[in-house]
Amino acid sequence: MDDERDNHGSNCELCGGAYTLPEDEDLGNLPRVIACGHIFCTACLCSLEIDNVIKCPECKVESTLPEDGVNGLHEDCKIIGLIYTAKIHEMKRCIVPANVEKAEKDVEKAEKDVEKAVDEALAQAVENMAQLDHIHQTLVTGLATQAKREQARLVTEIDKAVDQAIHTLYKRREALLRELPNMQARFSSSQEEVSRVQERMNVLKMAIQTAKEFRHAPSLEQYDTLEKVLDTLQAPVDAQSFDMNCITLGCGLSCVWTDSLMEGLKMKAGSPEPLSEEPPLRALQQGGSNRKPAWCRGEGRSRSHTPPSRHKPPQQQDQESLRANRPSQCSSRSPGHQPGSTLTPLSPASDPGIYHLVLVTHVVNPGHFYIRYVAEKREGLMLTKKINHLCSGDKGRFTPSDTLETGSAVFVKWKDGFWCRATVVELWQSGSVAAVNACPITRLARIQVFLLDYGFTKAIVLQSEEGTTESLMEGVSECLRRVDMVVQSEMRCWAPMAIKCSLKDLIPADLIKGWSKEAQVEFRNVVGSAAMEMQVFGQDKNSLQVDLRKSPMGRASELPISVREYLVFIEVARFYSPVVFGRSPLPYYAPVYPDINTEFNAVVPYISSPADFYIQLVDSVDFQMLTAKLQACYNATTVDRDTDLHLYCPVMGQACVARFDDNVWYRAQVIGHPGGRKVEVRYVDIGNTKILSVHDLRKLKDEFFALPAKAIQCCLADVVPLDGETWSDTCTDRFIRLAHQKLVTVVAFGKISFSKMEPNSRLLPVRLFEGSLDGPLANISDQLVTEELASFKNGHAEAPDVWDPPIEDLLAAEGKSDRDQEPLEFQPQLQLPVCLNELKVRVTHVSSPGSFCVQLTQNDSQLKRVSELLNQEYASMEPQEVEWKADMYCAALINGVWERGQICTTVTSSSIAEVLRCDFGNKVKLHVSNLQPLQPSLVGSLMLECTLYDIRPAGGQSTWTATACDFISYYLDGASAVMTVK
């Protein structure tokens, strides 16, 4: 049995020959293993080889031979070991004692051969293990990357599908909303009742008309129908006969949600497709859950991008994406917005008080220009970086077989190293004069493109007549790059940045000629390259209806410049339907009027007539100091158009600085627009008016608002014209010779009145006396009457000369001053005095050194008057049930005294209100039963909130410490002090 087993293991199963080991020059017949695992001798395998392939005679499995053929197959070490063992045993049995030494040497050699074969096999195994480990690592890493790529792709597709679903829902919503205006047709019963009432009204109207005709012209023919007409007129209206309940019923329609959308949005299995070279991993890295849908990311504005050409690209017609106007919630546009979709349109009734900072990128005319939002600067930089990456090196180059078509998307090099998106507007082919719709890239001579992110077109010349194909392709690659389907899908993540706009309700000055070159130049000059404030009014077709304003430079007196109003002012455009802004210009402080029946010295700088002239008080040097400061400030900027003091578009009532004939700057106020880029101003410190060019005006700085107007408008108190209506030129000329630019003594008589010619003008009745610093001379009114140029008013006696009264009269006047004083005029609101130095105040409440409240002691009588009026109004009034909301004014009963207050927060069910004491500054909590609605005539405050000048918290902190607040409260709360306003 052992011999049979040994023979079976040492013989080939195919040919039955014994396996032999190589000896000397004999290669032997070694056992070798094929791919299926069967073992055959080398000779049999060589006979079975066909085209480097061996087909197993037992299992019919084909095995591909290695490079060395049959000899490259692995040898069966087990059989070889058995052959060696059998050979050694045989040699031991056949050895004679004489040949023992030789046999030992043969055995040692055989063992070395076996060790060598084993070492070679182990080395090969180590190499195989390393190769398998590398393959395993590659597959594991590839599997993770594969799953990550596919997950990112699916996240992007899910977001895209959700955006499409939302867009579909909005389109459905718009369709449903369009059906709402026809809702009346669904109320048939109500319409029937309306028709019945209208029919009854028509019959009654006819009866009334017939009765009126009979009343005016009775006739026998109408007597037959008179009884019927009278019955119709007298027939009572039976309200019960009309079904009034019909208007309380609904239409029966309702909007419900169905689950069909959930079935439409699902994952669909399909055949695997090769992954792209650049897998969309960005969505996964950024996190798909943080991505906002396009309808939320938008800003509610209309995006329209129409190239100014007769060839409008198909893609361009679809790039009008409108986004909701919410700059604070969704101001940034993250990748994912698709320019091909149309979002919720901008409502023309959107809040016109919202402004956006924008940059004007291109101007065609005031009715056609493009802007970019300043808030999208970061997105623009990201887009530029992305496009530059897509166009770097040899990426996106055109090939000679490519063809360009009108409306196709391309990348265009605008500046060195700067690429941007564009749409082909027109193409010119070599040898052709007219533009073509499609052109092979090798025959392209000139191309005109529209830059989507900047709003203007650019023409590019690509070749000359002698250019070769290679040079043409190189020239094309220098300025144009192709946008394939993959890149185009990536570019859909960014909507075009340039937005087409038009100035609302603005039309050319000459509709026949259209927008002039001057209008375009002026528009470009005023918008410049700085950021502008844009106010959106609505949307008209494919552009936004807006107004642009230059932001004020921080001065309280300055108004923002409306570009629309500026173009109208310079007469290059006119309004079709102007929009009135709510902000009014800041006026000057009113002049300080002198006390009645008190002498003072003045100069008369301007005279229009004896009933209209201006005076300046001479007891102050403020006017001289003001004039000197004005010259020092404005002489350095008299001709510099680009300074921030230039006044582009003065509005009615605006305070400004105007240049007079002597090249001296004076404070002025705009009172008219005569046209021709002229404005009419009144010099508030002199009184005269003048028509000037807009270039002679400058903006008024805040520091020149501190002083009130110096010119006081007056009229002669005791005289009237001879004819009782109009002052003669002779009288006016005589009055000018007597008083103009002369020092006079003035006495005010009576109260201030309003001019009949100018309703807004306030006239102070005065008497003028010729005089000098030594004393008065003659009454000018008497001189005009004496010279028969004027006449006294009825009941007026000739006034004696004004001299210093005796001391007895002065003492008597002092005793009667209190009794003769006129009743105090009620002023609910605090009015600061002209002089802000050394004001006597009473500190009513202290919060910190940066916030405390005071009352002027000179307003004590007004405070008393307020208290009296409140007590009279509310002492006997019963409590009312009022829904108290924040900022409402109220009358509050505090410690048994009625005061003016303001609700701080909306009162809830607790019935306790927090009230700010308007005349004291502190807050108290009161029950609503102690509150009453405040009359509008009593609304106001006689309290002034102040802060200590030139002081801040220690240590660079932004808030005051409790120690500092307690310290100043201890010393100031309730104290009387002298205060100077800085």
Side-chain angles (χ1 to χ4, degrees), residues 647-666:
L647 193 59
Y648 285 95
C649 182
V651 299
M652 291 293 294
Q654 183 174 358
C656 59
V657 176
R659 183 162 41 195
F660 198 58
D661 295 336
D662 53 0
N663 287 329
V664 177
W665 296 96
Y666 297 98

Side-chain angles (χ1 to χ4, degrees), residues 551-821:
S551 302
M553 304 302 294
R555 290 185 292 273
S557 59
E558 185 176 347
L559 289 174
I561 300 169
S562 169
V563 177
R564 297 166 64 245
E565 295 182 358
Y566 170 70
L567 296 178
V568 172
F569 174 75
I570 62 176
E571 299 179 348
V572 298
R574 56 191 177 93
F575 281 127
Y576 174 74
S577 176
V579 176
V580 179
F581 295 99
R583 182 176 176 183
S584 58
L586 188 64
Y588 287 100
Y589 288 110
V592 180
Y593 291 94
D595 297 333
I596 299 176
N597 297 328
T598 302
E599 295 182 13
F600 56 90
N601 295 326
V603 174
V604 183
Y606 174 72
I607 296 176
S608 175
S609 69
D612 183 12
F613 58 92
Y614 290 82
I615 63 173
Q616 287 179 354
L617 305 182
V618 298
D619 55 353
S620 175
V621 296
D622 291 343
F623 178 67
Q624 287 75 13
M625 295 177 61
L626 173 64
T627 303
K629 290 182 179 180
L630 284 172
Q631 311 319 309
C633 177
Y634 289 93
N635 280 336
T637 59
T638 53
V639 295
D640 189 359
R641 183 181 177 87
D642 296 330
T643 60
D644 59 343
L645 295 178
H646 185 81
L647 193 59
Y648 285 95
C649 182
V651 299
M652 291 293 294
Q654 183 174 358
C656 59
V657 176
R659 183 162 41 195
F660 198 58
D661 295 336
D662 53 0
N663 287 329
V664 177
W665 296 96
Y666 297 98
R667 297 191 301 172
Q669 188 175 23
V670 178
I671 61 174
H673 290 151
R677 300 189 184 184
K678 302 286 186 179
V679 290
E680 184 178 7
V681 299
R682 169 173 283 114
Y683 295 95
V684 297
D685 297 320
I686 301 175
N688 60 323
T689 61
K690 188 173 180 61
I691 297 178
L692 302 172
S693 170
V694 69
H695 300 297
D696 291 329
L697 301 183
R698 294 293 182 270
K699 298 175 184 177
L700 184 67
K701 293 186 175 181
D702 289 347
E703 58 188 281
F704 300 117
F705 258 108
L707 292 176
K710 290 297 178 182
I712 302 175
Q713 192 174 11
C714 304
C715 64
L716 291 181
D718 304 327
V719 293
V720 295
L722 288 178
D723 58 1
E725 295 181 358
T726 307
W727 292 97
S728 63
D729 295 338
T730 304
C731 180
T732 301
D733 293 340
R734 177 57 178 164
F735 182 52
I736 292 174
R737 290 195 300 271
L738 292 173
H740 186 234
Q741 296 293 352
K742 294 183 179 180
L743 180 66
V744 295
T745 300
V746 183
V747 179
F749 286 91
K751 296 183 179 180
I752 299 174
S753 61
F754 292 93
S755 173
K756 296 181 180 179
M757 302 298 295
E758 299 180 13
N760 294 330
S761 299
R762 305 177 65 185
L763 298 175
L764 177 65
V766 298
R767 293 176 182 173
L768 298 184
F769 299 89
E770 288 185 292
S772 63
L773 294 177
D774 298 334
L777 294 177
N779 189 337
I780 294 180
S781 299
D782 293 345
Q783 294 188 36
L784 295 178
V785 173
T786 303
E787 296 176 10
E788 297 183 353
L789 299 176
S791 61
F792 287 115
K793 293 181 179 179
N794 294 334
H796 172 76
E798 182 177 352
D801 294 339
V802 178
W803 295 95
D804 291 339
I807 189 65
E808 294 81 9
D809 295 343
L810 292 176
L811 294 176
E814 290 179 359
K816 297 180 180 180
S817 59
D818 296 336
R819 297 190 301 270
D820 298 336
Q821 188 175 4

Side-chain angles (χ1 to χ4, degrees), residues 175-246:
L176 293 175
L177 292 178
R178 284 194 293 268
E179 298 177 4
L180 295 183
N182 299 326
M183 289 299 295
Q184 291 187 2
R186 297 187 175 272
F187 298 97
S188 57
S189 59
S190 299
Q191 287 184 337
E192 292 178 359
E193 294 301 320
V194 171
S195 301
R196 288 180 57 199
V197 174
Q198 289 180 345
E199 182 179 359
R200 175 71 182 275
M201 292 174 62
N202 293 333
V203 171
L204 186 59
K205 287 180 180 178
M206 294 178 61
I208 293 174
Q209 183 67 23
T210 303
K212 288 182 178 180
E213 293 176 356
F214 181 81
R215 182 69 177 79
H216 289 85
S219 63
L220 295 176
E221 297 177 355
Q222 295 178 346
Y223 274 101
D224 297 336
T225 61
L226 180 59
E227 184 177 357
K228 184 177 180 180
V229 170
L230 293 177
D231 293 341
T232 303
L233 294 176
Q234 297 174 357
V237 177
D238 185 8
Q240 302 297 330
S241 62
F242 300 103
D243 184 11
M244 302 301 295
N245 294 327
C246 63

